[in-house]
Amino acid sequence: MAPRGPGRVSVLLPTYNERDNLPLVVWLLVRTFSDSGIDFEIIIIDDGSPDGTQEVAQQLEKIYGSDKILLRPRARKLGLGTAYIHGMKYATGNFIVIMDADLSHHPKFIPEFIRKQQEGNFDIVSGTRYKGNGGVYGWDLKRKLISRGANFLTQVLLRPGASDLTGSFRLYRKEVLQKLMEKCVSKGYVFQMEMIVRARQLGFTIGEVPISFVDRVYGESKLGGNEIVSFLKGLLTLFATT
């Protein structure tokens, strides 16, 4: 049964060098929303990709219509948090979905997010790799250990009331996301974690849906040593200030 009455859903898709993945993820999104009878728009925030991602996005605008696909680029890489702030300026939906454009997040889970939101009237619904039948596919042992370790450390230090802190596949009420963005100061991978920690601080409610996370299909992973160091610094900062 299709979810009832979420109004319009705005999907924010930050991209950098995703020309191969973007047509596939957009097609899957359009099909998922159309099959579920959910009104939607997809806002592509490209940070000056040199691989032609913006040209692909322009073609997708022509194919699906500029009311459904909105390319809102920026001149260069400016970080994930500011990409969401930029995209929100153009969002007309009651709810906002944030997700990766590299096919690691399958749009088929979005109707489940909406169902969960309506069941519990949640402010946020977060996809979780660490609960129920959720999981990770395509990662080597090192990557799994880093993710599990980061999540474990976060749970111990911050007690956030959610099982997957570092994931970036979530549904927010638009006004809740706007309030959280005003509070969040982190960059990079810590940003997703801070969003949940601040949500708990502000008394927002969080529901969870188990998801399958699949490693990116095309292109290079953007997780490197610098990101891991930044994550640990950010975690300690949050521990000291929340």
Side-chain angles (χ1 to χ4, degrees):
M1 194 173 80
R4 292 189 314 278
R8 171 170 277 206
V9 175
S10 301
V11 179
L12 302 187
L13 272 188
T15 58
Y16 187 76
N17 287 350
E18 298 290 1
R19 64 166 294 158
D20 293 323
N21 293 315
L22 189 59
L24 287 167
V25 75
V26 166
W27 179 77
L28 285 167
L29 281 163
V30 171
R31 189 182 71 171
T32 298
F33 285 123
S34 300
D35 289 352
S36 303
I38 300 165
D39 187 24
F40 72 96
E41 63 186 2
I42 302 165
I43 300 167
I44 300 164
I45 306 113
D46 185 71
D47 276 3
S49 296
D51 74 336
T53 298
Q54 285 188 34
E55 288 77 7
V56 170
Q58 286 163 357
Q59 291 300 314
L60 292 168
E61 273 187 318
K62 288 175 188 168
I63 292 166
Y64 296 109
S66 56
D67 59 325
K68 294 297 180 192
I69 312 293
L70 294 80
L71 173 62
R72 297 295 181 264
R74 304 189 297 176
R76 58 193 171 84
K77 279 188 95 169
L78 295 164
L80 195 58
T82 57
Y84 292 139
I85 291 169
H86 181 75
M88 267 199 299
K89 291 179 198 165
Y90 307 99
T92 60
N94 317 58
F95 291 94
I96 291 182
V97 168
I98 63 167
M99 64 186 294
D100 294 343
D102 62 4
L103 296 172
S104 54
H105 299 143
H106 199 298
K108 69 183 179 182
F109 294 108
I110 293 173
E112 293 182 42
F113 285 15
I114 293 168
R115 266 192 287 273
K116 186 74 175 179
Q117 190 283 323
Q118 292 179 331
E119 276 172 21
N121 198 28
F122 292 108
D123 297 310
I124 303 163
V125 176
S126 181
T128 177
R129 299 161 288 181
Y130 304 125
K131 224 172 143 179
N133 58 357
V136 175
Y137 302 91
W139 275 3
D140 59 18
L141 183 60
K142 177 186 167 190
R143 191 85 195 268
K144 284 184 178 176
L145 285 173
I146 289 169
S147 178
R148 282 278 185 183
N151 212 58
F152 175 74
L153 267 176
T154 308
Q155 295 289 347
V156 169
L157 292 176
L158 303 178
R159 304 194 179 279
S163 65
D164 192 341
L165 278 296
T166 53
S168 53
F169 193 7
R170 295 177 187 157
L171 172 85
Y172 292 87
R173 290 187 199 273
K174 185 181 180 185
E175 65 274 17
V176 168
L177 183 56
Q178 284 170 325
K179 281 177 188 160
L180 289 173
M181 297 302 297
E182 289 165 12
K183 298 278 184 189
C184 284
V185 296
S186 304
K187 293 185 170 54
Y189 291 87
V190 187
F191 168 76
Q192 302 295 358
M193 179 173 69
E194 185 181 358
M195 293 284 276
I196 293 293
V197 173
R198 300 289 178 205
R200 183 202 62 179
Q201 276 186 329
L202 294 169
F204 294 129
T205 54
I206 304 166
E208 293 190 306
V209 169
I211 61 161
S212 307
F213 177 96
V214 181
D215 198 19
R216 63 169 37 253
V217 177
Y218 299 111
E220 292 293 314
S221 172
K222 299 174 180 89
L223 178 67
N226 289 341
E227 282 78 11
I228 295 165
V229 171
S230 297
F231 172 82
L232 291 171
K233 282 182 182 170
L235 175 59
L236 291 172
T237 302
L238 278 178
F239 178 62
T241 59
T242 59

